[in-house]
Amino acid sequence: MAAKAPAEELDVDGTAVRLTSPDRVLFPALGADGGTKRHLVDYHLAVASASADGAVDGLGPLVRALRDRPTYLQRFPDGVDGEEVYQKRVPERAPDYLRRVRVTFPSGRHADALRVDAAAPVLWAVQMSAITFHPWPTRADHVELPDELRVDLDPQPGTGFDEARRVALDVLHPLLDELGLAGYPKTSGGRGVHVYVRIEPRWEIREVRRAAIALAREVERRAPDLVTTAWWKEQRTSAIFVDYNQNARDHTIASAYSVRRTPRATVSTPVTWAELEDVQPDDCTIAEVPGLLARRGDPMAALDDVHHSLEPLLEMADRDEARGEGELPYPPNHPKMPGEPKRVQPSRDRDRRGDG
């Protein structure tokens, strides 16, 4: 039996971060040649450190994606084939260099989540076997006011990445252009596509979700045979679901440059709209993305340059509501919200079936 590699201390932009079990395999399909904790550490140094390709103002691309946002950790202490730990709170006994930000859950309870402001907290999380970072669309200084609207194009059974790609390129991108909104796409790291729009932090979470619903409905109108906003899975086969609830409180998606729980260690990778035409998600891995950054920089480097108004989308929402298209279901961890339809699968809704 091979001897266990000793613990070591990493110098992460001047902060000491302890690394234990660097030879532990986290991605069994890649094995010791590409799937160990050290490979994961090397990847995160390449995308998070101040010297990373694509760094701006001393912040690597991954740190910019997480900066000052409440961030949850998706951890796999026994590797991606093992049990998942979804961590929302920073432990009490944590290094002094970690910062926290208080968030409020739909239940009204609170938690102190990780607040990333440098590369060291990222590497601390990787030491804890964090694979994926899940940031809120808000920042610590306005934690109730999102500055990011997120569009999640989620393939349902019978569809895949190619269909999500076509919706993004042929429907969503032209619509955003019409609205005067700059969208920044990335692969989800799986079969989907995410698009971010930077917005002014003026509207509360509920209003941003309302704007996301209006955008989703318009995408569905323009491609009704390929797109759905139906919340219940039984209603959305062979379609791309525009998951508006990714803008609900306490709901997050994998950040840009986050690794995903896939056999190949794929990465949720920012791309230009032109690159989206040809990109293959399985080619965007921890082994390949650092080189991609070195060749062409970070496509999301300009994301913070312009903060857009939500007013065009909220006007669309007003028009929808005037036509009788109101609220849509919230996730199950939310209390019943004003105007929300019944939370019951259509096939089990006795009123819809006409049961007496």
Side-chain angles (χ1 to χ4, degrees), residues 69-223:
R69 301 188 184 281
T71 299
Y72 300 155
L73 306 176
Q74 192 176 4
R75 298 172 47 230
F76 297 92
D78 297 319
V80 296
D81 290 347
E83 182 179 351
E84 171 187 326
V85 177
Y86 194 76
Q87 183 170 326
K88 296 188 176 184
R89 295 171 171 83
V90 175
E92 291 185 9
R93 298 179 63 182
D96 292 340
Y97 56 78
L98 295 187
R99 301 179 71 188
R100 298 165 172 82
V101 54
R102 175 65 57 94
V103 295
T104 303
F105 300 137
S107 65
R109 294 182 297 109
H110 303 284
D112 291 327
L114 179 65
R115 175 182 178 179
V116 173
D117 57 359
V122 171
L123 272 297
W124 167 83
V126 175
Q127 154 62 17
M128 301 284 287
S129 300
I131 300 294
T132 308
F133 294 85
H134 289 265
W136 277 44
T138 66
R139 299 189 196 262
D141 59 352
H142 47 79
V143 76
E144 293 294 319
L145 302 175
D147 69 349
E148 194 163 81
L149 183 143
R150 296 168 173 178
V151 185
D152 179 7
L153 302 178
D154 184 8
Q156 301 302 296
T159 63
F161 181 78
D162 285 341
E163 287 79 8
R165 182 207 317 264
R166 294 269 50 97
V167 171
L169 288 167
D170 300 342
V171 186
L172 178 60
H173 190 198
L175 173 57
L176 292 175
D177 282 347
E178 290 174 26
L179 294 167
L181 303 174
Y184 289 79
K186 66 183 182 74
T187 67
S188 69
R191 301 185 306 132
V193 174
H194 300 157
V195 179
Y196 290 170
V197 177
R198 186 64 80 242
I199 60 174
E200 299 170 357
R202 293 169 43 198
W203 293 272
E204 295 184 351
I205 295 170
R206 186 178 175 190
E207 281 297 283
V208 175
R209 177 181 173 276
R210 181 169 171 260
I213 290 174
L215 181 63
R217 280 176 164 151
E218 184 60 25
V219 172
E220 183 178 26
R221 290 187 194 104
R222 297 185 180 203

Side-chain angles (χ1 to χ4, degrees), residues 30 161-162 165 187-192 260-269 278-289:
L30 299 178
F161 181 78
D162 285 341
R165 182 207 317 264
T187 67
S188 69
R191 301 185 306 132
R260 305 310 305 272
R261 184 191 194 178
T262 60
R264 295 172 59 88
T266 54
V267 173
S268 184
T269 306
D278 300 310
V279 67
Q280 294 300 322
D282 283 351
D283 294 336
C284 300
T285 66
I286 61 173
E288 299 298 330
V289 169

